[in-house]
Amino acid sequence: MASSILVVLYNCSLEKSETIKSLALTDVNILGTTLILYNNGPIKINDSLVSTLSNKGYKCSIIQDTTNKPLSYIYNQFVKDNPNDHYIILDHDSKLSNEYIDTIMNNNIKGVGLPIVKSANKVCSPNKFPKKTSTSFGRRDKIVAIGSGLIISHSFSELIIQKYGNLFDEHYALYGVDTSFFLRIRKLKAINQLSIIPGFDHSLSRDENESKSKQQFRKIEMGYHTALTLRHYPSFSSLKRFRKVLIESFSSKNKELTSVLLNTLFTGKHPRCN
């Protein structure tokens, strides 16, 4: 089964990307695998490593884009431009195991493969596991997982595109791109087409010590996510979440967050999604 892999980099060189290091050093046979390296800014990076990856056997190319495009746009364009049996989307900061790489190179997944992802030695994705000894889920399971590492079969991507017009919801730019993907799967009653696969270690920003400005940035981005989910995937839980965050924004006098919540609920899209 042929695969197309996307690695999205932001403020990271090819040489410092843990994901690219993993792909470059693997002993797994990757001959003929399409590998797209997408530099999303903020500045252009050295592309000398592309030839090294190509010599290893990847059909490797790099896209230099410093405009910080919404992830949903990047993912959808990747799928459109690189048709293949399976699509794999990765962040730049994952230490991929050989077991995971072997799975993405030699898989027969018909739906979506969810890797078991760990951060700071704790499982952070998916949010729950199948019952008993099964590797797949039941139709009523409410599954959410991070987007990095997902294996999406072409046939499954067509199922979502046929219903929604695209694979990932382009109302979202950063947070919520992965969550809305799983909400779409839930609406299609296709949860039973998700399965667990070997995973890897991943660096999550929430496990790092951050400045107050960075913390505020994440609160604002989560505000967009919260409002957009209520607008486009309304449910009791999304309403409850929106109400909670709105009250917290009032109590903490975070006027910027309050404004983001209310304005985004009205506009229905992230301001970077035009």
Side-chain angles (χ1 to χ4, degrees), residues 135-163:
T135 59
S136 58
F137 298 90
R139 286 182 179 274
R140 295 185 179 182
D141 287 333
K142 295 182 178 180
I143 308 301
V144 178
I146 62 174
S148 184
L150 295 179
I151 301 178
I152 307 169
S153 72
H154 177 76
S155 58
F156 193 84
S157 71
E158 288 297 302
L159 179 70
I160 296 181
I161 293 171
Q162 184 177 8
K163 172 67 175 179

Side-chain angles (χ1 to χ4, degrees), residues 28 39 61 68 98 106 134 203 208 234 241 261:
V28 175
N39 172 35
S61 61
N68 192 20
N98 269 344
N106 304 286
S134 174
S203 176
E208 302 172 359
R241 172 64 180 168
L261 289 165

Side-chain angles (χ1 to χ4, degrees), residues 222-244:
M222 284 302 298
Y224 290 125
H225 170 16
T226 301
L228 288 171
T229 301
L230 177 58
R231 172 70 180 268
H232 298 289
Y233 304 92
S235 66
F236 176 75
S237 60
S238 64
L239 176 60
K240 183 178 179 181
R241 172 64 180 168
F242 180 86
R243 181 176 179 273
K244 178 183 178 182

Side-chain angles (χ1 to χ4, degrees), residues 35-236:
L35 176 60
I36 307 298
L37 310 176
Y38 196 106
N39 172 35
N40 206 24
I43 60 173
K44 287 189 176 182
I45 57 178
N46 190 319
D47 62 0
S48 60
L49 194 59
V50 172
S51 59
T52 301
L53 291 164
S54 296
N55 291 337
K56 188 173 178 64
Y58 293 105
K59 296 177 181 177
C60 185
S61 61
I62 186 169
I63 298 173
Q64 299 271 14
D65 183 354
T66 60
T67 61
N68 192 20
K69 280 186 179 177
L71 292 180
S72 56
Y73 288 23
I74 295 172
Y75 295 168
N76 286 335
Q77 195 64 46
F78 161 70
V79 170
K80 181 180 179 180
D81 293 344
N82 301 277
N84 228 325
D85 296 320
H86 293 90
Y87 306 103
I88 297 94
I89 296 170
L90 293 162
D91 293 340
H92 67 243
D93 49 4
S94 299
K95 294 181 179 179
L96 308 180
S97 65
N98 269 344
E99 292 79 9
Y100 172 77
I101 298 176
D102 183 61
T103 299
I104 66 177
M105 299 302 175
N106 304 286
N107 74 83
N108 58 358
I109 292 172
K110 295 180 174 60
V112 180
L114 279 61
I116 300 174
V117 181
K118 292 183 178 181
S119 179
N121 295 318
K122 295 181 180 179
V123 174
C124 61
S125 180
N127 65 318
K128 63 186 297 185
F129 293 90
K131 295 178 180 179
K132 300 180 181 179
T133 58
S134 174
T135 59
S136 58
F137 298 90
R139 286 182 179 274
R140 295 185 179 182
D141 287 333
K142 295 182 178 180
I143 308 301
V144 178
I146 62 174
S148 184
L150 295 179
I151 301 178
I152 307 169
S153 72
H154 177 76
S155 58
F156 193 84
S157 71
E158 288 297 302
L159 179 70
I160 296 181
I161 293 171
Q162 184 177 8
K163 172 67 175 179
Y164 292 99
N166 49 37
L167 186 57
F168 291 92
D169 192 332
E170 294 189 357
H171 295 104
Y172 296 80
L174 184 59
Y175 293 159
V177 174
D178 44 12
T179 302
S180 57
F181 175 72
F182 286 97
L183 289 173
R184 286 181 166 188
I185 294 174
R186 195 181 304 173
K187 283 181 171 292
L188 289 170
K189 298 181 180 179
I191 293 294
N192 61 331
Q193 295 193 49
L194 307 180
S195 59
I196 294 293
I197 61 173
F200 51 83
D201 291 329
H202 178 70
S203 176
L204 280 182
S205 56
R206 71 188 184 201
D207 295 323
E208 302 172 359
N209 292 323
E210 296 182 320
S211 64
K212 288 185 177 180
S213 61
K214 195 69 173 180
Q215 290 174 13
Q216 173 68 355
F217 167 80
R218 299 202 181 282
K219 286 180 181 178
I220 295 303
E221 289 298 328
M222 284 302 298
Y224 290 125
H225 170 16
T226 301
L228 288 171
T229 301
L230 177 58
R231 172 70 180 268
H232 298 289
Y233 304 92
S235 66
F236 176 75

